[in-house]
Amino acid sequence: MWQSSPPGSIYDYIRVASFSIGPDGLIEQWSRRAAGLFGIAAHEAVGRDPVETFMPAELRTGGHRRVGEILDGKEWTGLVPFRMPGEDVVHGLAEVYVMPSETESGEPAALCIVVDVRALRRIETDLAASQAIFGQSPFGFVLFGTDFTVVRANQRFATVFGGQADDHRGRTVDDYLARPEAERLTATLRQVLETGDSVTDLQLVGTAPGDSESRHWSVNLYRVHSGAGRPIGIAGVATDVTRRHIAAREAASARRNLALLNEAGARIGNSLDLETTARELLGVAVPGFCDLASVDLYQGLLTGDEAPPGSWGSLRHRSTAGSAELRRVAFASAVSDVLPATVLDSASTDGATDPPALGAVHRYSFNSPCSIALRTGHIEDVPGDERGFVQSTLAVPMVAHDTVVGLVQFSRTKGSEPFGERDRALATELAARAAVCIDNARLYRREHERALILQRSLLPPGDPEAAGLDIACRYLPGNTATEVGGDWFDVIELPGHRTALVVGDVMGRGLRAAVAMGELRTAVRTLALLDLEPAEVLSALDEVARGLGTPGVSTPSDGLGGAQWPSRASHKARDADLSEVYLATCVYAVYDPVTRRCTFANAGHLPPVVVEPGEPALLLDVPPGMPLGVGGEPFEEVEVELKEGALLALYTDGLVESRDHPLDEGLQALRNALIEPELPLEDVCDHVLTTLDTRHGEDDIALLMARIQGLPVDAVGDWRLPREPRSVGRARELARRQLLAWELDDLVDTTELLVSELVTNALRYGEGEIRLRLLRERTLVCEVWDAGLVQPRRRRARDTDEGGRGLQLVGLLSAAWGSRRTPRGKTVWFELPLPDGEPAAERTVEQLLSTF
């Protein structure tokens, strides 16, 4: 059967040509390949002498001799330089094989086979280069035929997959790869063969013979063509990139871990709630780090118990650190919402086989990995359950400041990558960050509770009572996410049935603000008992506030029950550390029920609100002054006469100030909420709190409301007496008549005696006109006024003294007594309890003898 040589055969590469020589030594036949090789057409070459035409002149003699020998029947093979006709230089070198032949008539002739030596040398070079690349390459080299079987493979390929290079001829990709990868490679080979588009970095995964670990290869594929451009197969170069894959995987793991840590820093600890922080931890870990996770916190920590030595969490007492009760506070799963947390038989709680439910209180068995982790403070591996779906678990103690606050368990299910050393380090870091946040939340909660207890303990208990005032008050602490502030209010009874109303706010939050508030409140009460004017009280209070921030400065007694102001040295220390200065705002008001006048002084606080019957609510124009602790500016007083039934409201900024609206809107909302002042005062307070936006919880709220109820006219006795001795008897008579009119017969004798003593002292030591005033409310108050500035002083009389026992009698027989300055002198007063129907207690012998 005849079959033509396909295009791209070897003859196309080696450039073989032929021609024949006749008996006369001339060219008789000239092939087309010869025409292509020498560049001469057949009609130009036939009939010409090949030696004269193609050989250089210096070789022609030998050439004619060789032609003669060939025509005599001798074969010859050799290298012959040749030139193109019309050119003198050598053009090329041909390998010529001459075979003697005969014509039809039996005459000698020759057949010449000519090969271009340059093409042969090029082929040899290409073969050598191909063999060097294919055989000596450090990469696996394989040539697939058009039927996708291996045509040739190099030794490197055979080293990986076994045997010699020739052993792999005829194999397919199924002999090297598992079915999914083999099908993917076959599809890629088909695509390259059909389209001619090369494929680079095709990632394949498989195992070498005798190796159990997976290997990763990067394969480059390209189509191979013959010299005529016909596709004859696909060449593949495979590189083992297992190490690079492992390094990339570790780098990806490191990037993932850094991303998780960055996410943990942003998401964990945003709340000061313990359980919320635990859920934030699991929100970061699942599913980015593990498939299942749970958090157990010590029950004592959740209930607010302190951690005494040897109890929960103490790493210094490891024998008992892991035996305390824990509560499961958080659980997360990326596998199924109904799957329980991972607590295996080896980590069971008190021998129980079921894991604790969310919110359950439990203990871990002593020898379990979880208990060991809690005792040692080190991470422990919990083995997986062959029958379950969990592959591995890490029990990680949550350690903060040498204290274990709980335990977090991270689990990965079967099919996931097991935990490595890098994962253990990340788990420890995540647990440590959450532990610090939980411990901070615990410390904050403890401080918050202590500050709240301190603050509430300093507020007036129950509903305060005051003469001529109906009082209602409210205190709302901020929510648990905000620290306790320094808000306070107080109602202080003053002599003469007067009442001091105080509302203040220490700037800042936390326990220190609450302590500062307590000190200022105590100072206010002390100053109020001195019966100072409101502006004087704030001035003295400003000095106290300025001294609070100075280390080592306290407020001891000055001998009169008041506060001792800081020395110049303390002021220098204060100036050296201005960051410790406490600032506070305060409104101090004194109400006199006899005149219904109220005197206000303001230290940077919001203005009081007054609502008179039938009138809209007004903000009192009280000069605000500077906050307490700033110093250097005097405070002003404003006296306002209030109508019967008027409503007075004092408050802190938490009631009217919020991030959602400006202060002016809050003040207007407060005024609008006071449109029905005739309602019961408790209902008015509730209406204000429900109407205004007080649910933001950004700050504490203190609200003090008072309805004005002046003393009735018949409850006041007021007389002016001339400065003469007979005014003593006149004062006794007036007091007797008033007490009998009030049906206070039991108090007549005592009152007459004490009034006589006070009026006598006013005549003896005072100046100007004398004024006597009796007030009946919850108690009986007697006041004697004069224009003298000398304050009475109680002293112990000697046995030989005939006088000096008057104030001792006053102190002995009255419930309370004292004196205060007035704008035009002083007032000396005493107070007697109203009779309750029971006989008065008799004085003891010691009490009576103490006056002599």
Side-chain angles (χ1 to χ4, degrees), residues 42 149 167 184 306 318 341 363 434 461 481 491 496 539 721 777 801:
T149 60
D167 297 338
R184 190 160 66 92
E306 295 294 333
R318 300 186 177 185
R363 297 175 186 266
V491 178
S539 296
L721 302 174
E777 217 272 342
D801 291 342

Side-chain angles (χ1 to χ4, degrees), residues 76-110:
W76 181 82
T77 301
L79 297 176
V80 179
F82 67 90
R83 65 178 180 84
M84 294 299 180
E87 298 179 3
D88 294 333
V89 298
V90 175
H91 184 73
L93 186 65
E95 185 177 70
V96 181
Y97 177 49
V98 184
M99 296 174 290
S101 63
E102 293 180 356
T103 63
E104 293 180 357
S105 59
E107 292 180 303

Side-chain angles (χ1 to χ4, degrees), residues 586-598:
C586 180
V587 169
Y588 185 87
V590 176
Y591 173 69
D592 188 345
V594 179
T595 61
R596 293 199 312 276
R597 289 183 174 273
C598 191

